[in-house]
Amino acid sequence: MSRSDWPELDFVQVDAFADRPFAGNPAAVVVTERPVDEQLMQLVALEMNLSETAFLHPAGDVWALRWFTPAAEVDLCGHATLASAHALWESGVAAEGDEIVFESRGGVLRCSKPPGSLNAIAMDFPALVASPVDVPPGLEAALGASALAVWRTAFDLVVEVADADAVTALRPDFRALQAIDARGVIVTAAGPPGSGIDFVSRFFAPSFGVPEDPVTGSAHCALGPLWAARLGRNDLLAEQRSARGGRLTLTCRGDRVILTGSAVTVARGRIFPRGTPGNPSHNA
Protein backbone atom coordinates (compact mmCIF):
# COMPACT_ATOMS: atom_id res chain seq x y z
CA MET A 1 0.00 0.00 0.00
CA SER A 2 1.41 3.41 -0.96
CA ARG A 3 1.16 6.49 1.23
CA SER A 4 -1.50 7.91 -1.08
CA ASP A 5 -3.73 4.94 -0.13
CA TRP A 6 -3.29 5.21 3.63
CA PRO A 7 -6.71 5.40 5.35
CA GLU A 8 -7.87 7.81 7.98
CA LEU A 9 -7.83 6.12 11.38
CA ASP A 10 -9.97 6.66 14.45
CA PHE A 11 -8.30 6.21 17.82
CA VAL A 12 -9.09 6.29 21.52
CA GLN A 13 -6.58 7.04 24.23
CA VAL A 14 -7.01 4.95 27.33
CA ASP A 15 -5.34 5.13 30.73
CA ALA A 16 -4.71 1.49 31.65
CA PHE A 17 -4.19 0.11 35.14
CA ALA A 18 -6.02 3.20 36.37
CA ASP A 19 -9.39 3.93 37.95
CA ARG A 20 -9.34 7.63 37.06
CA PRO A 21 -8.04 9.80 34.20
CA PHE A 22 -4.39 10.87 34.09
CA ALA A 23 -3.12 7.89 36.08
CA GLY A 24 -1.76 4.48 35.14
CA ASN A 25 -0.28 4.00 31.68
CA PRO A 26 -1.74 5.72 28.60
CA ALA A 27 -2.11 3.77 25.35
CA ALA A 28 -3.65 4.68 22.02
CA VAL A 29 -5.97 2.09 20.48
CA VAL A 30 -6.72 1.96 16.75
CA VAL A 31 -9.47 -0.48 15.70
CA THR A 32 -9.78 -1.17 11.95
CA GLU A 33 -11.69 -3.55 9.72
CA ARG A 34 -8.54 -4.93 8.08
CA PRO A 35 -4.75 -4.92 8.56
CA VAL A 36 -2.94 -1.58 8.43
CA ASP A 37 0.31 -0.92 6.56
CA GLU A 38 3.23 -1.59 8.92
CA GLN A 39 5.01 1.64 8.06
CA LEU A 40 1.85 3.59 8.85
CA MET A 41 1.48 1.83 12.20
CA GLN A 42 5.01 2.77 13.20
CA LEU A 43 4.54 6.39 12.09
CA VAL A 44 1.27 6.66 14.00
CA ALA A 45 2.93 5.26 17.13
CA LEU A 46 5.71 7.82 16.76
CA GLU A 47 3.13 10.59 16.32
CA MET A 48 1.13 9.48 19.35
CA ASN A 49 4.39 9.35 21.36
CA LEU A 50 2.99 7.04 24.04
CA SER A 51 4.62 3.93 25.47
CA GLU A 52 2.52 1.83 23.08
CA THR A 53 -0.08 2.25 20.39
CA ALA A 54 -2.22 -0.83 19.76
CA PHE A 55 -3.64 -1.78 16.34
CA LEU A 56 -6.33 -4.44 16.12
CA HIS A 57 -8.69 -5.85 13.55
CA PRO A 58 -11.10 -8.80 13.47
CA ALA A 59 -9.68 -12.13 12.30
CA GLY A 60 -12.55 -14.59 12.38
CA ASP A 61 -13.64 -15.14 15.98
CA VAL A 62 -10.57 -13.42 17.43
CA TRP A 63 -8.81 -10.07 17.15
CA ALA A 64 -5.38 -9.67 15.59
CA LEU A 65 -3.38 -7.35 17.83
CA ARG A 66 -0.03 -5.58 17.36
CA TRP A 67 1.77 -3.07 19.58
CA PHE A 68 4.24 -0.34 18.63
CA THR A 69 6.34 1.97 20.78
CA PRO A 70 7.51 5.23 19.17
CA ALA A 71 10.63 3.34 18.05
CA ALA A 72 9.72 -0.30 17.36
CA GLU A 73 7.17 -3.10 17.42
CA VAL A 74 7.13 -5.17 20.63
CA ASP A 75 6.34 -8.84 21.23
CA LEU A 76 4.22 -8.51 24.37
CA CYS A 77 2.43 -5.59 25.99
CA GLY A 78 0.02 -5.70 28.91
CA HIS A 79 -1.31 -2.18 29.33
CA ALA A 80 -2.16 -1.69 25.63
CA THR A 81 -3.94 -5.06 25.63
CA LEU A 82 -5.97 -3.93 28.63
CA ALA A 83 -6.70 -0.66 26.81
CA SER A 84 -7.76 -2.57 23.66
CA ALA A 85 -10.20 -4.80 25.54
CA HIS A 86 -11.61 -1.78 27.35
CA ALA A 87 -12.10 0.05 24.03
CA LEU A 88 -13.90 -2.90 22.43
CA TRP A 89 -16.31 -3.30 25.35
CA GLU A 90 -16.89 0.42 25.79
CA SER A 91 -17.70 0.93 22.09
CA GLY A 92 -20.08 -2.02 22.02
CA VAL A 93 -18.06 -3.80 19.34
CA ALA A 94 -17.63 -6.61 21.86
CA ALA A 95 -20.63 -7.67 23.96
CA GLU A 96 -20.30 -6.91 27.65
CA GLY A 97 -20.32 -10.54 28.81
CA ASP A 98 -18.08 -11.92 26.07
CA GLU A 99 -14.50 -13.03 26.47
CA ILE A 100 -12.20 -11.16 24.07
CA VAL A 101 -9.44 -13.24 22.49
CA PHE A 102 -6.40 -11.61 20.90
CA GLU A 103 -3.84 -13.26 18.63
CA SER A 104 -0.48 -11.54 18.92
CA ARG A 105 3.26 -11.97 18.64
CA GLY A 106 3.08 -12.87 22.34
CA GLY A 107 0.62 -15.72 21.70
CA VAL A 108 -3.09 -16.03 22.44
CA LEU A 109 -4.23 -13.54 25.10
CA ARG A 110 -7.67 -13.70 26.70
CA CYS A 111 -9.49 -10.84 28.42
CA SER A 112 -12.61 -11.12 30.56
CA LYS A 113 -14.51 -9.22 33.22
CA PRO A 114 -14.39 -10.89 36.65
CA PRO A 115 -17.84 -11.63 38.09
CA GLY A 116 -19.09 -8.93 40.43
CA SER A 117 -16.54 -6.37 39.30
CA LEU A 118 -17.70 -3.14 37.66
CA ASN A 119 -14.55 -1.98 35.88
CA ALA A 120 -11.84 -4.61 36.33
CA ILE A 121 -10.46 -6.55 33.37
CA ALA A 122 -8.60 -9.84 33.84
CA MET A 123 -5.96 -10.72 31.24
CA ASP A 124 -4.63 -14.25 30.75
CA PHE A 125 -0.95 -13.85 29.77
CA PRO A 126 2.03 -16.18 29.43
CA ALA A 127 4.33 -16.48 32.42
CA LEU A 128 7.89 -15.48 31.53
CA VAL A 129 10.76 -17.59 32.83
CA ALA A 130 13.44 -15.54 34.57
CA SER A 131 16.87 -17.21 34.78
CA PRO A 132 19.61 -16.00 37.17
CA VAL A 133 22.56 -14.27 35.48
CA ASP A 134 25.65 -12.38 36.53
CA VAL A 135 25.33 -8.62 36.87
CA PRO A 136 26.04 -7.23 33.37
CA PRO A 137 28.92 -4.76 33.17
CA GLY A 138 27.73 -1.19 33.51
CA LEU A 139 24.25 -2.07 34.78
CA GLU A 140 24.65 -0.89 38.37
CA ALA A 141 26.33 2.34 37.26
CA ALA A 142 23.53 3.00 34.75
CA LEU A 143 20.87 2.43 37.42
CA GLY A 144 22.76 4.18 40.20
CA ALA A 145 21.99 1.28 42.56
CA SER A 146 23.49 -1.99 43.71
CA ALA A 147 21.91 -5.21 42.48
CA LEU A 148 21.12 -7.96 45.00
CA ALA A 149 20.31 -10.35 42.14
CA VAL A 150 19.73 -10.23 38.38
CA TRP A 151 17.60 -12.45 36.14
CA ARG A 152 17.08 -12.48 32.37
CA THR A 153 13.75 -13.18 30.65
CA ALA A 154 13.01 -13.56 26.94
CA PHE A 155 12.76 -9.76 26.78
CA ASP A 156 14.20 -7.99 29.80
CA LEU A 157 16.57 -7.97 32.73
CA VAL A 158 15.06 -8.13 36.22
CA VAL A 159 17.10 -6.48 38.96
CA GLU A 160 16.38 -6.81 42.67
CA VAL A 161 17.50 -3.91 44.87
CA ALA A 162 17.55 -3.42 48.62
CA ASP A 163 14.01 -2.17 49.32
CA ALA A 164 11.00 -0.27 48.02
CA ASP A 165 12.58 3.09 48.86
CA ALA A 166 15.57 2.21 46.69
CA VAL A 167 13.19 1.51 43.77
CA THR A 168 11.47 4.86 44.25
CA ALA A 169 14.77 6.75 44.50
CA LEU A 170 16.20 5.48 41.20
CA ARG A 171 17.41 8.15 38.78
CA PRO A 172 18.91 6.09 35.93
CA ASP A 173 21.34 7.24 33.28
CA PHE A 174 19.13 6.46 30.29
CA ARG A 175 21.93 6.81 27.75
CA ALA A 176 23.96 4.23 29.66
CA LEU A 177 20.93 1.95 29.96
CA GLN A 178 20.61 1.93 26.17
CA ALA A 179 23.88 0.01 26.03
CA ILE A 180 22.44 -2.85 28.12
CA ASP A 181 21.53 -5.88 25.99
CA ALA A 182 17.80 -6.18 26.75
CA ARG A 183 14.47 -4.72 25.69
CA GLY A 184 14.22 -3.13 29.12
CA VAL A 185 15.32 -3.26 32.72
CA ILE A 186 12.82 -4.12 35.46
CA VAL A 187 13.86 -3.05 38.96
CA THR A 188 12.02 -4.63 41.88
CA ALA A 189 11.97 -5.03 45.65
CA ALA A 190 9.64 -6.33 48.34
CA GLY A 191 6.74 -4.08 49.30
CA PRO A 192 6.99 -1.98 52.45
CA PRO A 193 6.21 -3.99 55.60
CA GLY A 194 2.56 -3.69 56.63
CA SER A 195 1.51 -2.01 53.36
CA GLY A 196 -0.32 -5.02 51.90
CA ILE A 197 1.76 -4.59 48.73
CA ASP A 198 3.75 -7.72 47.96
CA PHE A 199 6.33 -6.14 45.68
CA VAL A 200 7.10 -2.90 43.85
CA SER A 201 8.85 -2.23 40.56
CA ARG A 202 9.85 0.27 37.88
CA PHE A 203 10.54 -0.38 34.20
CA PHE A 204 13.00 1.36 31.87
CA ALA A 205 13.29 0.77 28.10
CA PRO A 206 15.13 3.73 26.53
CA SER A 207 16.37 1.66 23.58
CA PHE A 208 12.71 1.17 22.58
CA GLY A 209 11.89 4.86 22.88
CA VAL A 210 10.39 4.50 26.38
CA PRO A 211 12.74 5.95 29.04
CA GLU A 212 10.32 4.88 31.80
CA ASP A 213 7.07 3.00 31.30
CA PRO A 214 4.43 4.04 33.86
CA VAL A 215 2.81 0.60 34.42
CA THR A 216 4.06 -2.47 32.56
CA GLY A 217 1.87 -5.54 32.30
CA SER A 218 4.43 -7.68 30.48
CA ALA A 219 7.04 -7.05 33.20
CA HIS A 220 4.67 -8.62 35.72
CA CYS A 221 4.57 -11.81 33.65
CA ALA A 222 8.09 -12.34 35.00
CA LEU A 223 7.75 -10.57 38.34
CA GLY A 224 4.64 -12.53 39.33
CA PRO A 225 6.23 -15.99 39.19
CA LEU A 226 9.46 -14.71 40.81
CA TRP A 227 7.67 -13.21 43.81
CA ALA A 228 5.13 -16.05 44.03
CA ALA A 229 8.00 -18.49 44.49
CA ARG A 230 9.68 -16.16 46.98
CA LEU A 231 6.54 -15.55 49.06
CA GLY A 232 5.00 -19.02 48.72
CA ARG A 233 1.61 -17.92 47.37
CA ASN A 234 0.11 -17.28 43.97
CA ASP A 235 -2.18 -14.29 44.59
CA LEU A 236 -0.24 -11.05 44.76
CA LEU A 237 -0.68 -7.26 44.84
CA ALA A 238 1.91 -5.28 42.93
CA GLU A 239 2.66 -1.58 42.68
CA GLN A 240 4.66 0.10 39.92
CA ARG A 241 6.31 3.20 41.34
CA SER A 242 6.52 5.50 38.34
CA ALA A 243 5.43 9.15 38.56
CA ARG A 244 1.91 8.18 37.40
CA GLY A 245 1.92 4.90 39.27
CA GLY A 246 -0.42 1.95 39.17
CA ARG A 247 -1.43 -1.25 40.94
CA LEU A 248 -2.13 -4.72 39.59
CA THR A 249 -3.45 -7.89 41.14
CA LEU A 250 -1.82 -11.07 39.90
CA THR A 251 -2.68 -14.75 40.05
CA CYS A 252 0.04 -17.17 38.98
CA ARG A 253 -1.19 -20.42 37.41
CA GLY A 254 1.71 -22.49 36.19
CA ASP A 255 2.72 -21.19 32.79
CA ARG A 256 0.09 -18.41 32.85
CA VAL A 257 -0.32 -15.19 34.83
CA ILE A 258 -3.67 -13.47 35.30
CA LEU A 259 -3.17 -9.69 35.41
CA THR A 260 -6.14 -7.64 36.59
CA GLY A 261 -6.65 -3.88 36.41
CA SER A 262 -9.05 -1.15 35.34
CA ALA A 263 -8.98 1.35 32.47
CA VAL A 264 -10.46 4.77 31.65
CA THR A 265 -10.93 6.45 28.25
CA VAL A 266 -9.51 9.98 28.21
CA ALA A 267 -9.54 11.07 24.54
CA ARG A 268 -10.90 10.26 21.09
CA GLY A 269 -9.73 11.48 17.71
CA ARG A 270 -8.95 10.84 14.08
CA ILE A 271 -5.59 10.50 12.34
CA PHE A 272 -5.22 11.98 8.83
CA PRO A 273 -2.12 10.34 7.28
CA ARG A 274 -2.40 12.50 4.14
CA GLY A 275 -3.24 15.75 5.92
CA THR A 276 -6.55 17.18 7.09
CA PRO A 277 -9.33 17.76 4.56
CA GLY A 278 -8.70 21.03 2.76
CA ASN A 279 -4.95 20.88 3.40
CA PRO A 280 -3.00 20.83 0.11
CA SER A 281 -1.16 17.69 1.28
CA HIS A 282 -4.43 15.77 1.66
CA ASN A 283 -4.41 14.50 -1.92
CA ALA A 284 -0.66 14.27 -2.31
Side-chain angles (χ1 to χ4, degrees):
M1 179 184 291
S2 69
R3 285 180 177 237
S4 62
D5 296 322
W6 281 349
E8 296 174 3
L9 301 170
D10 292 321
F11 73 91
V12 295
Q13 185 169 318
V14 176
D15 286 344
F17 296 116
D19 58 5
R20 65 190 186 282
F22 316 123
N25 198 354
V29 179
V30 179
V31 183
T32 59
E33 294 181 356
R34 57 188 60 87
V36 175
D37 181 87
E38 189 168 303
Q39 183 184 8
L40 175 57
M41 289 191 285
Q42 186 62 74
L43 287 171
V44 169
L46 177 60
E47 185 75 12
M48 301 306 292
N49 199 32
L50 300 169
S51 296
E52 267 88 10
T53 297
F55 297 86
L56 54 150
H57 64 85
D61 294 332
V62 303
W63 292 85
L65 174 61
R66 296 174 73 173
W67 313 277
F68 289 78
T69 76
E73 185 172 8
V74 296
D75 292 332
L76 189 65
C77 177
H79 86 280
T81 304
L82 180 64
S84 297
H86 168 81
L88 290 175
W89 275 313
E90 185 179 61
S91 66
V93 173
E96 192 70 22
D98 287 354
E99 179 184 61
I100 296 175
V101 181
F102 296 109
E103 285 188 348
S104 74
R105 288 171 61 158
V108 175
L109 311 174
R110 299 177 182 274
C111 295
S112 60
K113 293 195 172 184
S117 175
L118 292 177
N119 299 312
I121 295 172
M123 304 188 297
D124 184 339
F125 266 51
L128 297 177
V129 176
S131 302
V133 295
D134 294 334
V135 180
L139 176 63
E140 291 174 311
L143 288 174
S146 297
L148 299 182
V150 180
W151 299 264
R152 183 176 289 277
T153 77
F155 306 124
D156 307 310
L157 290 176
V158 182
V159 182
E160 184 181 3
V161 296
D163 53 33
D165 288 342
V167 173
T168 303
L170 289 172
R171 297 294 181 269
D173 179 339
F174 292 122
R175 180 169 294 184
L177 272 185
Q178 283 184 297
I180 302 299
D181 179 23
R183 177 190 70 166
V185 176
I186 308 163
V187 184
T188 190
S195 67
I197 298 167
D198 293 301
F199 65 90
V200 302
S201 67
R202 290 172 69 186
F203 181 83
F204 309 103
S207 62
F208 271 69
V210 184
E212 179 167 7
D213 196 38
V215 191
T216 314
S218 64
H220 288 80
C221 293
L223 290 170
L226 273 176
W227 284 104
R230 176 83 59 90
L231 299 173
R233 49 192 168 81
N234 292 325
D235 295 320
L236 304 168
L237 176 63
E239 180 179 75
Q240 194 153 331
R241 290 197 161 187
S242 63
R244 292 172 65 101
R247 290 188 178 182
L248 310 80
T249 59
L250 296 85
T251 300
C252 298
R253 296 177 177 170
D255 62 354
R256 307 296 292 182
V257 178
I258 310 302
L259 311 172
T260 302
S262 300
V264 181
T265 298
V266 295
R268 302 180 190 276
R270 173 164 287 193
I271 300 159
F272 300 97
R274 295 172 289 151
T276 56
N279 185 310
S281 68
H282 184 61
N283 295 314

